[in-house]
Amino acid sequence: MKSLCFGNSLKLFFPFPPQMLSLYRPLSLRLQRVRKTHFYATSSMDSLNSEVVHEFRFFRVYKDGRIEKFQSTHKIPPSDDPITGVRSKDVEISSQPAISARIFLPKIHDRTRKLPVLFYCHGGGFCFLSAFSPLLHNYVSALAAEAEAIAVSVEYRLAPEHPIPACYEDSWAAFQWVASHANRNGPEQWLNDHADFQRVFLVGDSAGGNISHNMAVRAGSIQLPGVKLGGAVLVHPYFGGTDDDKMWMYMCPENGGLDDPRLKPAAEDLARLACERVLVFVGEKDHLREVGWRYYEELKKSGWGGNVEIVENEGEDHCFHVDDLTQDKAVALIKRLASFIKEE
């Protein structure tokens, strides 16, 4: 996959000291206080027009149309984990538009036993991070190992270069691609050989939780032959009701305002979620804590009829678990998520 590029004539400028440019700063800090690090693409014409017309949590927009993102999106190639035995590889789902995914296959102990499918949507405010980011590669690999599931981590196009709904459409296209293997003759042999399409789970963190919810809604209206959605896991999900709503609406020019159902789930959408089980995680210190609790309460009273659970990560901030997978509460979160997938 190619790295995000803004054009051959542009250069990267780093106006801050090297110690501030670490790509491995805790994800929770980058999501909460991302303005402390500025990675941005700019041109030699900067001095002609530096007027800022929009300033958001993750990027700013100049009058001449330039976008300054406050985080770079670093990517690493797939690799096999010698400790857990998880293997990974990248697949192209579509060339136009460019959609790909990283697939993780846990160590196979019994070739006659099919594995649940974990379809993962990453976070990053819809505008940064990647399925190929180091932290997320390690996280999804850990999930695949603990849940004994074949994981598909979608690489969707990022806003605002690719306005929303690109992220939703790309994720749905990737999900349909996964579903195309249900008859065992799809293009990816790992899915043909090992996937149990009666146990498919949508999992997403932050913005990815929002995308996963919207996919579960869509799956409630569009039947995917041979596929049963077993559940959805939304970890510190983003929905409307925060200062970031203006940023979402900027990234989604054709929006329905603050009541857009992709931003603020409508009762009728909640009622038709395709799965019968939902697990929501919220962080006690997360600015999205109330958002997650509100989703949980609205889902319970929507008439959906399934079972929803919520887990609050005491003393923890947004997406803390991705920063250090060996931290006790991160281990507990991964184990709880895995047990949800393993439940019959």
Side-chain angles (χ1 to χ4, degrees):
M1 295 295 296
K2 295 182 179 179
S3 299
L4 185 65
C5 179
F6 291 84
N8 294 333
S9 63
L10 304 185
K11 301 179 180 179
L12 286 175
F13 285 75
F14 304 99
F16 293 91
Q19 62 267 28
M20 296 180 66
L21 301 180
S22 172
L23 295 175
Y24 297 93
R25 177 180 288 102
L27 181 62
S28 58
L29 292 179
R30 286 185 277 146
L31 289 171
Q32 296 282 347
R33 296 177 289 276
V34 73
R35 290 195 181 94
K36 288 191 175 181
T37 301
H38 291 245
F39 290 80
Y40 60 91
T42 185
S43 73
S44 60
M45 300 298 290
D46 275 357
S47 59
L48 297 181
N49 196 335
S50 59
E51 181 181 348
V52 175
V53 292
H54 297 289
E55 179 94 18
F56 302 115
R57 182 187 297 270
F58 299 132
F59 61 90
R60 66 168 58 103
V61 183
Y62 291 92
K63 189 174 182 179
D64 62 3
R66 286 181 296 121
I67 304 293
E68 176 188 339
K69 288 193 175 183
F70 304 145
Q71 277 294 328
S72 69
T73 296
H74 181 53
K75 301 179 183 182
I76 60 172
S79 60
D80 297 343
D81 189 323
I83 298 176
T84 65
V86 174
R87 301 168 62 194
S88 65
K89 63 179 174 181
D90 294 343
V91 295
E92 182 182 73
I93 293 169
S94 168
S95 58
Q96 291 295 331
I99 309 170
S100 58
R102 179 158 295 175
I103 303 182
F104 298 81
L105 182 69
K107 189 173 182 178
I108 303 298
H109 301 285
D110 179 359
R111 290 193 171 274
T112 66
R113 176 174 169 264
K114 300 303 181 184
L115 305 176
V117 178
L118 188 164
F119 187 91
Y120 179 74
C121 299
H122 70 79
F126 306 94
C127 61
F128 74 103
L129 292 180
S130 163
F132 312 141
S133 295
L135 290 175
L136 296 179
H137 170 95
N138 294 336
Y139 171 51
V140 180
S141 180
L143 288 177
E146 187 66 33
E148 297 179 272
I150 183 167
V152 179
S153 182
V154 59
E155 177 76 343
Y156 56 80
R157 289 170 295 164
L158 300 176
E161 308 94 292
H162 304 283
I164 297 172
C167 56
Y168 298 117
E169 297 302 324
D170 292 358
S171 297
W172 181 252
F175 192 60
Q176 288 181 304
W177 178 86
V178 170
S180 73
H181 294 76
N183 57 9
R184 306 293 171 189
N185 63 353
E188 174 46 52
Q189 205 59 42
W190 281 2
L191 291 170
N192 291 334
D193 292 345
H194 303 292
D196 181 352
F197 291 97
Q198 294 301 298
R199 293 187 294 159
V200 179
F201 294 83
L202 296 171
V203 180
D205 296 88
S206 192
N210 175 293
I211 296 171
S212 295
H213 156 79
N214 279 284
M215 290 178 62
V217 171
R218 198 164 183 174
S221 301
I222 302 174
Q223 295 297 316
L224 297 173
V227 174
K228 181 179 180 180
L229 192 58
V233 183
L234 313 183
V235 184
H236 305 172
Y238 164 75
F239 294 104
T242 76
D243 291 341
D244 293 327
D245 294 354
K246 291 180 180 179
M247 179 177 69
W248 185 91
M249 288 190 289
Y250 175 83
M251 292 187 291
C252 182
E254 296 182 5
N255 64 73
L258 295 177
D259 290 325
D260 190 301
R262 295 166 296 184
L263 183 64
K264 181 183 179 182
E268 57 268 28
D269 285 347
L270 291 169
R272 67 167 181 262
L273 292 184
C275 53
E276 297 178 354
R277 298 164 55 222
V278 172
L279 175 61
V280 181
F281 288 91
V282 295
E284 182 184 13
K285 295 182 178 180
D286 187 2
H287 70 294
L288 297 180
R289 176 184 179 275
E290 298 306 319
V291 170
W293 272 103
R294 184 170 63 248
Y295 179 89
Y296 167 76
E297 296 293 348
E298 292 295 327
L299 182 56
K300 282 201 303 181
K301 66 183 184 183
S302 68
W304 164 55
N307 180 50
V308 58
E309 304 173 71
I310 191 165
V311 175
E312 180 154 334
N313 308 122
E314 296 182 1
E316 297 299 341
D317 213 327
H318 191 67
C319 290
F320 75 95
H321 54 291
V322 181
D323 298 337
D324 180 2
L325 300 178
T326 65
Q327 190 242 39
D328 288 346
K329 291 183 181 179
V331 170
L333 185 153
I334 290 172
K335 287 184 177 296
R336 180 67 185 88
L337 197 161
S339 70
F340 179 85
I341 291 175
K342 290 179 176 179
E343 289 175 20
E344 295 295 338

